[in-house]
Amino acid sequence: MSQAFLVERQGDTERWTFSDPATRNALSDAMVLGLYEATLRAKQDETLRIVVLTGAPGAFSAGGSLGHFSSAIGQPLQPGEDDPLIAMNRGFGDVLHALCALPQLLVCAVDGAAMGGGFGLVCCADHVIATQRSSFATPEVTLGLPPAQIAPFVWQRLGDAAARQCLLQGRVYRAEDAQALGLVDEVTHDGELEKGLQERLEQLKRAAPGAVASTKRLLQRLRGDVPDLRDEAAIAFAAALRGAEAAAGLSAFAKKQPALWASKQ
C-alpha cells in the first residue's frame, strides 16, 4: 500500500485517506491504484460495513496529477503509435465504477478542496459531509480538457441541468452551494468534521449491513448503471491533453494567468 493512500481499520469501518498534503492530495498513479485495490478487497469483505473516504488535512483532493503527463502535453502521437494515456485515464474510470458498486455504505468526508477527479469521487458517495471551508469544482474545461471520466457520475448524481453547470463552466462551489446543488448532504463548522462524522457513522450503523447491500443493488437497478463511457472518455481525454488547447490552458494555469480563450475580445 502506498504511503500516499492509507487504509485504517476501526472495527467494522475502514478509513481510506489520500495523504499527500504537498500536492493537496492530487491523484497520483499510486493513489488511484491503492484506491482501486481497496475497492476490490472491500467488495469481498462481509465484515466491513462502512468506508470513509477522506483526504489529509487541507484538502480532499485537488484532482488528477498531471506530473507524469507533462511530456505528453501538446505533443501529438506519431502515426501508428499507441497512446499510453488512454489506459492510464481509463484506470480512473475503473475506480469510479468500482466505488459505485461497493456493497458497503460509502461516506466522503471533505475538508478543503475537492476538484476535478476529487469532485468525481464525491459523486460516488452514499453520504457526503463537508466543512464550511470546503470547495468543489470541475475546472477541466478551463484548462482545455474534458472532464471525461467523471462526467457520467456527475450527471447521475446531480442531474442534467446541474451537471451542465458544473462540467461546462468550471465554477467553484462553496460547501453551502454544493449542498444546495445536491452534491453535499451536510455541512459542519470548520474544525468539527471529525465530530460530525462520528455522529453520522453512529446513525448509519443503525442500518443492517445485509439490508444496505441489498438496497444499494435495488437502487442501482432502479436508476440504471452509470453510462459506461470509459473507453470513449479515455480517448477524448488523451486526445485533448495532446492538443493545443491543453498546452495553452495548462501553461496559463501554471503561470497563474487567464487562458487565451478567457481574454476579452
Side-chain angles (χ1 to χ4, degrees):
M1 189 67 66
S2 167
Q3 291 303 305
F5 181 74
L6 307 177
V7 175
E8 180 184 6
R9 183 74 177 235
Q10 298 173 332
D12 54 10
T13 301
E14 281 190 355
R15 184 175 298 223
W16 300 352
T17 304
F18 301 124
S19 184
D20 190 5
T23 67
R24 297 197 304 159
N25 303 320
L27 298 169
S28 64
D29 287 346
M31 280 187 189
V32 173
L33 178 60
L35 180 55
Y36 185 59
E37 291 177 343
T39 61
L40 296 182
R41 177 184 49 76
K43 190 175 182 180
Q44 305 301 321
D45 188 346
E46 296 183 356
T47 68
L48 181 62
R49 295 180 61 185
I50 300 176
V51 171
V52 177
L53 182 62
T54 191
F60 179 76
S61 174
S65 174
L66 294 177
H68 54 296
F69 293 155
S70 58
S71 62
I73 296 173
Q75 300 300 314
L77 286 172
Q78 298 300 315
E81 182 182 359
D82 292 331
D83 195 340
L85 298 179
I86 294 175
M88 294 170 67
N89 184 259
R90 191 189 191 284
F92 186 61
D94 292 340
V95 168
L96 295 168
H97 279 265
L99 280 175
C100 287
L102 282 176
Q104 297 88 4
L105 286 165
L106 175 62
V107 178
C108 278
V110 181
D111 185 23
M115 303 292 171
F119 190 112
L121 293 172
V122 170
C123 287
C124 298
D126 299 305
H127 189 83
V128 180
I129 180 172
T131 57
Q132 290 177 323
R133 70 171 182 168
S134 297
S135 58
F136 303 82
T138 57
E140 287 90 335
V141 292
T142 69
L143 303 175
L145 294 168
Q149 294 295 345
I150 70 170
F153 299 88
V154 177
W155 176 80
Q156 187 172 73
R157 173 86 182 194
L158 302 180
D160 188 70
R164 286 174 182 271
Q165 284 187 30
C166 296
L167 298 172
L168 297 176
Q169 298 180 24
R171 62 172 285 195
V172 178
Y173 293 85
R174 298 175 303 173
E176 291 84 356
D177 297 328
Q179 186 177 28
L181 199 66
L183 178 65
V184 171
D185 296 297
E186 61 179 308
V187 178
T188 72
H189 292 294
D190 295 340
E192 296 185 4
L193 180 63
E194 189 61 33
K195 177 184 176 182
L197 175 61
Q198 292 306 318
E199 291 174 352
R200 180 56 55 186
L201 292 180
E202 183 178 345
Q203 189 275 331
L204 290 175
K205 287 185 180 181
R206 297 175 187 172
V212 165
S214 180
T215 302
K216 289 188 69 171
R217 286 194 297 270
L218 290 171
L219 290 173
Q220 188 69 26
R221 289 285 302 278
L222 181 66
R223 68 184 182 183
D225 292 333
V226 177
D228 192 348
L229 304 179
R230 279 174 283 186
D231 289 333
E232 183 178 345
I235 292 170
F237 180 85
L241 191 66
R242 293 186 179 280
E245 281 191 348
L250 292 168
S251 175
F253 177 75
K255 298 175 182 176
K256 298 183 178 180
Q257 299 174 349
L260 292 175
W261 52 81
S263 302
K264 293 182 180 180
Q265 299 298 320

